[in-house]
Amino acid sequence: MAATILHGVGATTALSSINYNNSRRSLPERKRTSLVIQCDGSLSSGLNISNNRGAKLSTNAVATKQENVTASTTSKPGHELLLFEALREGLEEEMERDPHVCVMGEDVGHYGGSYKVTKGLADKYGDLRVLDTPIAENSFTGMGIGAAMTGLRPIVEGMNMGFLLLAFNQISNNCGMLHYTSGGQFKIPIVIRGPGGVGRQLGAEHSQRLESYFQSIPGIQMVACSTPYNAKGLMKAAIRSDNPVILFEHVLLYNLKERIPDEEYVLSLEEAEMVRPGKHVTVLTYSRMRYHVMQAAKTLVNKGYDPEVIDIRSLKPFDLHTIGNSVKKTHHVLIVEECMRTGGIGASLTASINEHFHDYLDAPIVCLSSQDVPTPYAGALEEWTVVQPAQIVAAVEQLCQ
Amino acid sequence: MYIHKRRSNKEIIGGSITKRRKIDGRNQNEHCEATENRVACYRVLDDHGYPIAGTTFDQVDEETAVRMYKSMASLEIMDSIFYEAQRQGRVSFYLTSTGEEGISVATAAALSPHDIILPQYREAGILLWRGFTIQDFANQCFGNEDDHGKGRQMPVHYGSNHLNFFTVSSPIATQLPQAAGVAYSLKMDGKDACAVAFTGDGATSEGDFHAAMNFAAVMEAPVLFICRNNGWAISTPISQQFRSDGVVVKGQAYGIRSIRVDGNDALAVYNAIRAAREMVVREQKPVLVEALTYRVGHHSTSDDSTKYRSLKEIEEWRRSRNPVTRFRKWVESKCWWSDEEEAQLRGTLRKQVLKAIQIAEKIKKPCLEDLFSDVYEQVPSNLRQQEKSLRQTINKHPQDFPSDVPLH
């Protein structure tokens, strides 16, 4: 396979040299190869795949089933699959490509994983490479770290992200730190992934938003997938990265269907996705809330608004380039997240945007989050803790007054 | 009372189990508190350094034995000088292996250099054996630019990928499940090597210890677990740490072959580790070795152990149960070592350590850039920005920042 060029963290592009406060600087030419798909913030570029996607809005925001959305940039028809299958496809391609890639977690082997992401892999690669572990999250995460330090590229699956709270010690004190504290002698190319977020009456302990807890840990990267297309691309990128990456999936998005390209592609871990370009307001979101936002966008368009929707995808670090360009254009920001109000991704993003783009804002940033309550089991109560499209519409209307 | 046992014909999960008719009984397994019937301890040399009659052990050749003794003595001397340096304020922190030199050195001698070590923090003897120089130790303790860890960790948190010694991480027992991962990696590659994970008696209370043992057993991972049971976890004696018969019985609970050895008998440790390692690599199964010893020194320079244990106890172990002296007696009895060589070793080494400290003190500290590098594989833009912002602040207020950290 010819060199698959990845947009690494801190790689030498114009990105790192941009002075965010210089409004006169024009958007840099972004390099594009046939294999790495980057999202160009520029509106005039016809090469932007996401632009195509923006043309068809999803009608059902509560995403268990979804109509087909075009995502392919090439003339080939591609193939349709569900999000969990896309994750599996990415995983399988990487396992095929590199014998060091292995999977460990509870029930990932012959059972195929609780959400079937690893189905069939144990049969194909054996139960050493797709390893069933006993129930001890801190320990199998630690095991993954030890294996990574010795040259393997493990993917650790948490059956639910919430259980990874048990692995916090290993993730924070070891995974994030050992490359640094060893003076660069040991690297930890581990991927930690699993479903999180609020599901359908799964109870408080199974509805955690771990991204808020992990975002502070130095040394790790965090990405959140939301479509089959980006799920596969981010999975592959995460596996290939030499940094520890936490890949956040969402319990309710596993059955999303989409047509994705046949040929191989890897996405960038540090880039946001332009879902719908617009000019009135920048709406920043990720994971499941993307669909609530897009449903709200449909209503907003009918009311005459033109929201720009960006799926931030990269939770750590934020893609301030894409976000910044959008803020400079619209001057209004609405963040829609599933995290709790206190200490969530929205809180950090608000601080970050205020710090860098304060001069471009015509109004204070509005952040819609879940309340600071454990997620209740009762269905109606649970629904009220999650930001709904109606709230998003109201927030945009108020912001754009 | 006689208990009539009958074999059950039906298979019960976990294999067929004999039935019993009564709850009460004189069954020994029920009385498992650590008072009676303790697991026996493997020992070769007596307190005076003479092989105990009837013990089975492999001889160590002269070269290895002398090298072992020199390493143990070097460790002892190096520890005492670094400890003093900390007391004088030259080093911020230190942790000695006093009283436990036999374990780390004899283990290192018995292993292959390809075996990957996951230390807790009292295993400097292994690095010494494998070629870490006194200067390397000093550089790490002073956190200067020649430190392999680039000055990022506390003193004694050594690490060397070349010597297959994982960087010490402060949280207790986190290295144990990592050892299962290392062993998993070695197993996949089919290497003739094993993972060797160290732990203390206190660390066996951590959940990670139990899960790691369980994992290693279930996955048949080639891990050699070595527990340095030195009687104290800072101020907590083992009677307050667990109520089992030490740590060796815990291995048995997980289906792991375990042995208890006299940790202050370097020859016994050497033999036990040799046999254990061979078993681990040949059968690809974990083994647990509990080495009984005593922590003669304080837990670290932040501790004063006379506050919670008697001076008499400490002195007794330091004088009459010292592993270095015991091994020296044996080596001398074979005419492989003499008083002159002893004096020369101590003299030379003392000078060497003092010199290394002087040199390390004067070497530049790592530069500011190293604050931000290695957090990720490459420095990302947000960290570059933070570095830039820090430099700007330093330029404006140079008098408020340490002057001995190079900016470039």
Side-chain angles (χ1 to χ4, degrees):
Chain A
M1 175 73 67
T4 314
I5 304 150
L6 291 169
H7 201 83
V9 182
T12 52
T13 64
L15 179 63
S16 44
S17 62
I18 286 176
N19 181 351
Y20 291 120
N21 293 322
N22 184 349
S23 54
R24 303 243 179 162
R25 194 182 289 268
S26 59
L27 294 171
E29 205 68 51
R30 298 290 284 274
K31 263 202 261 178
R32 189 193 149 87
T33 70
S34 59
L35 295 172
V36 178
I37 316 295
Q38 299 173 11
C39 297
D40 194 328
S42 137
L43 278 180
S44 57
S45 166
L47 298 171
N48 188 342
I49 331 133
S50 309
N51 269 331
N52 295 338
R53 190 183 291 116
K56 259 196 194 178
L57 298 174
S58 56
T59 51
N60 184 1
V62 179
T64 44
K65 273 200 172 169
Q66 169 124 350
E67 285 151 35
N68 292 349
V69 182
T70 46
S72 174
T73 49
T74 68
S75 53
K76 282 199 190 166
H79 58 285
E80 235 178 40
L81 40 51
L82 305 180
L83 195 145
F84 77 89
E85 291 169 335
L87 287 166
R88 176 164 19 108
E89 207 174 82
L91 186 45
E92 195 170 345
E93 281 176 20
E94 291 305 298
M95 288 184 81
E96 192 64 43
R97 173 182 179 267
D98 182 352
H100 294 106
V101 178
C102 55
V103 183
M104 50 188 78
E106 294 156 16
D107 299 309
V108 296
H110 61 93
Y111 187 71
S114 295
Y115 292 93
K116 301 289 169 249
V117 172
T118 52
K119 189 170 171 197
L121 295 179
D123 290 331
K124 192 169 173 192
Y125 296 105
D127 54 18
L128 195 58
R129 263 182 98 184
V130 185
L131 186 69
D132 275 330
T133 62
I135 308 175
E137 281 75 9
N138 200 38
S139 300
F140 63 70
T141 306
M143 183 177 152
I145 293 168
M149 286 166 81
T150 324
L152 291 183
R153 304 188 83 89
I155 294 125
V156 172
E157 173 175 312
M159 193 181 281
N160 186 286
M161 269 287 171
F163 307 155
L164 291 182
L165 284 169
L166 285 146
F168 213 117
N169 187 14
Q170 287 285 352
I171 294 174
S172 173
N173 278 324
N174 291 330
C175 184
M177 285 193 194
L178 275 164
H179 188 245
Y180 186 76
T181 58
S182 69
Q185 293 185 83
F186 295 97
K187 68 178 185 190
I188 310 182
I190 194 175
V191 175
I192 297 170
R193 51 158 290 269
V198 178
R200 292 234 180 291
Q201 298 193 268
L202 294 177
E205 298 93 341
H206 293 79
S207 309
Q208 295 268 36
R209 278 78 83 192
L210 269 272
E211 56 271 23
S212 13
Y213 303 134
F214 287 150
Q215 62 177 325
S216 221
I217 302 173
I220 56 154
Q221 281 187 253
M222 308 199 312
V223 286
C225 62
S226 50
T227 66
Y229 179 77
N230 64 35
K232 179 178 173 183
L234 289 173
M235 170 72 96
K236 287 168 75 82
I239 295 171
R240 292 190 194 188
S241 167
D242 276 343
N243 293 318
V245 178
I246 306 187
L247 170 58
F248 290 90
E249 300 152 17
H250 197 285
V251 277
L252 294 181
L253 298 185
Y254 279 126
N255 289 326
L256 274 184
K257 194 191 279 192
E258 192 180 4
R259 185 170 286 276
I260 65 170
D262 285 330
E263 67 276 358
E264 197 188 20
Y265 67 93
V266 184
L267 293 176
S268 167
L269 288 174
E270 297 94 32
E271 286 190 18
E273 191 179 314
M274 177 66 70
V275 184
R276 180 191 190 283
K279 48 185 189 295
H280 287 155
V281 58
T282 298
V283 185
L284 301 172
T285 183
Y286 68 95
S287 193
R288 182 188 169 213
M289 287 298 106
R290 169 192 175 132
Y291 297 95
H292 280 204
V293 168
M294 291 312 288
Q295 188 175 359
K298 194 164 182 267
T299 312
L300 286 166
V301 164
N302 289 339
K303 291 191 174 190
Y305 293 94
D306 188 19
E308 177 153 292
V309 179
I310 295 176
D311 180 339
I312 62 173
R313 259 178 20 194
S314 174
L315 306 180
K316 185 181 169 83
F318 294 130
D319 179 5
L320 289 176
H321 176 76
T322 307
I323 294 171
N325 286 339
S326 179
V327 175
K328 287 176 195 168
K329 186 175 39 155
T330 68
H331 311 295
H332 295 86
V333 177
L334 171 66
I335 300 171
V336 179
E337 61 165 352
E338 212 173 283
C339 285
M340 318 246 182
R341 160 63 91 234
T342 305
I345 295 291
S348 298
L349 193 49
T350 303
S352 201
I353 296 174
N354 271 328
E355 195 182 346
H356 291 108
F357 308 116
H358 180 255
D359 288 337
Y360 297 95
L361 292 169
D362 284 349
I365 299 173
V366 175
C367 181
L368 298 177
S369 336
S370 295
Q371 304 87 339
D372 287 319
V373 298
T375 310
Y377 174 79
L381 290 178
E382 183 185 69
E383 210 171 297
W384 287 337
T385 70
V386 174
V387 176
Q388 298 296 334
Q391 287 168 270
I392 303 171
V393 171
V396 169
E397 284 180 328
Q398 184 153 29
L399 196 50
C400 289
Q401 268 170 0
Chain B
M1 193 167 297
Y2 177 72
I3 299 168
H4 184 75
K5 288 179 188 166
R6 277 184 302 177
R7 267 202 188 272
S8 164
N9 286 330
K10 290 188 189 147
E11 275 291 325
I12 303 176
I13 293 171
S16 60
I17 302 171
T18 52
K19 284 189 180 167
R20 55 195 287 177
R21 290 166 87 190
K22 288 180 192 289
I23 291 174
D24 291 332
R26 301 263 163 82
N27 191 340
Q28 260 189 336
N29 290 337
E30 285 152 14
H31 294 266
C32 55
E33 288 94 330
T35 46
E36 326 140 10
N37 299 319
R38 301 194 58 185
V39 171
C41 178
Y42 176 66
R43 199 191 205 207
V44 170
L45 299 176
D46 65 16
D47 283 341
H48 304 287
Y50 289 107
I52 299 168
T55 328
T56 323
F57 68 98
D58 283 335
Q59 278 281 8
V60 171
D61 64 53
E62 182 183 347
E63 196 191 327
T64 312
V66 169
R67 189 178 163 200
M68 272 170 70
Y69 175 70
K70 280 165 91 168
S71 298
M72 285 165 68
S74 303
L75 181 57
E76 199 183 43
I77 296 165
M78 185 181 90
D79 269 351
S80 68
I81 299 179
F82 273 117
Y83 187 89
E84 286 310 312
Q86 193 279 343
R87 282 285 175 255
Q88 290 166 14
R90 294 162 86 181
V91 169
S92 61
F93 173 84
Y94 196 73
L95 204 153
T96 64
S97 303
T98 317
E100 301 181 52
E101 296 89 349
I103 299 176
S104 51
V105 170
T107 300
L111 295 173
S112 137
H114 301 295
D115 294 328
I116 299 181
I117 311 287
L118 290 101
Q120 180 151 308
Y121 45 56
R122 254 184 250 281
E123 295 85 22
I126 300 196
L127 277 174
L128 204 56
W129 178 273
R130 286 189 174 184
F132 214 58
T133 64
I134 305 284
Q135 194 63 59
D136 284 331
F137 283 110
N139 289 340
Q140 198 282 335
C141 287
F142 281 89
N144 61 35
E145 70 172 4
D146 284 348
D147 169 28
H148 297 292
K150 298 185 191 167
R152 291 169 184 151
Q153 258 292 15
M154 299 169 65
V156 303
H157 287 58
Y158 314 111
S160 168
N161 55 354
H162 293 126
L163 300 179
N164 287 323
F165 191 92
F166 272 30
T167 306
V168 175
S169 173
S170 304
I172 296 286
T174 52
Q175 71 280 6
L176 298 173
Q178 289 171 10
V182 170
Y184 170 74
S185 176
L186 292 172
K187 193 181 170 100
M188 272 235 257
D189 290 341
K191 291 217 175 114
D192 176 18
C194 62
V196 182
F198 281 86
T199 173
D201 42 283
T204 65
S205 293
E206 281 281 352
D208 273 353
F209 168 76
H210 301 274
M213 301 265 280
N214 194 34
F215 273 49
V218 165
M219 285 179 296
E220 297 180 2
V223 190
L224 175 53
F225 291 103
I226 303 178
C227 176
R228 287 178 296 95
N229 183 347
N230 63 16
W232 293 92
I234 307 188
S235 69
T236 309
I238 47 175
S239 59
Q240 285 174 22
Q241 196 69 250
F242 40 68
R243 285 300 162 91
S244 56
D245 173 19
V247 175
V248 65
V249 291
K250 296 186 208 240
Q252 291 164 8
Y254 293 105
I256 292 180
R257 281 179 221 161
S258 317
I259 185 172
R260 168 174 278 163
V261 67
D262 179 351
N264 285 4
D265 178 351
L267 206 48
V269 174
Y270 178 88
N271 273 270
I273 300 290
R274 265 271 294 269
R277 190 226 176 241
E278 206 218 335
M279 203 183 286
V280 166
V281 174
R282 186 184 67 229
E283 298 185 43
Q284 294 284 292
K285 282 197 182 133
V287 169
L288 168 67
V289 175
E290 179 187 15
L292 297 180
T293 179
Y294 187 83
R295 193 196 77 208
V296 170
H298 307 302
H299 165 71
S300 70
T301 50
S302 311
D303 173 46
D304 174 11
S305 60
T306 57
K307 288 206 168 87
Y308 49 80
R309 53 184 188 175
S310 70
L311 265 170
K312 184 159 161 260
E313 180 188 303
I314 303 172
E315 281 312 301
E316 199 211 309
W317 280 90
R318 188 201 301 278
R319 295 250 169 75
S320 52
R321 307 231 204 160
N322 186 324
V324 183
T325 330
R326 197 155 147 202
F327 194 64
R328 176 180 162 184
K329 287 182 182 154
W330 181 71
V331 174
E332 280 177 344
S333 74
K334 311 276 282 184
C335 300
W336 291 342
W337 193 252
S338 66
D339 284 344
E340 292 81 39
E341 286 165 300
E342 177 76 20
Q344 199 193 20
L345 172 71
R346 293 201 171 251
T348 329
L349 198 64
R350 208 186 141 70
K351 284 203 199 95
Q352 202 183 344
V353 176
L354 286 170
K355 181 137 183 258
I357 291 178
Q358 276 171 4
I359 293 175
E361 240 174 355
K362 297 207 183 73
I363 296 177
K364 273 195 309 176
K365 298 295 180 217
C367 66
L368 189 63
E369 205 175 87
D370 279 336
L371 179 59
F372 298 96
S373 62
D374 295 326
V375 179
Y376 295 97
E377 205 52 31
Q378 289 167 327
V379 185
S381 58
N382 62 323
L383 288 185
R384 285 233 180 279
Q385 213 184 338
Q386 289 174 12
E387 185 184 342
K388 193 169 151 205
S389 161
L390 180 58
R391 283 186 194 276
Q392 278 170 354
T393 316
I394 293 174
N395 280 339
K396 280 202 197 124
H397 311 276
Q399 71 283 358
D400 292 333
F401 289 86
S403 54
D404 63 342
V405 177
L407 293 176
H408 298 282

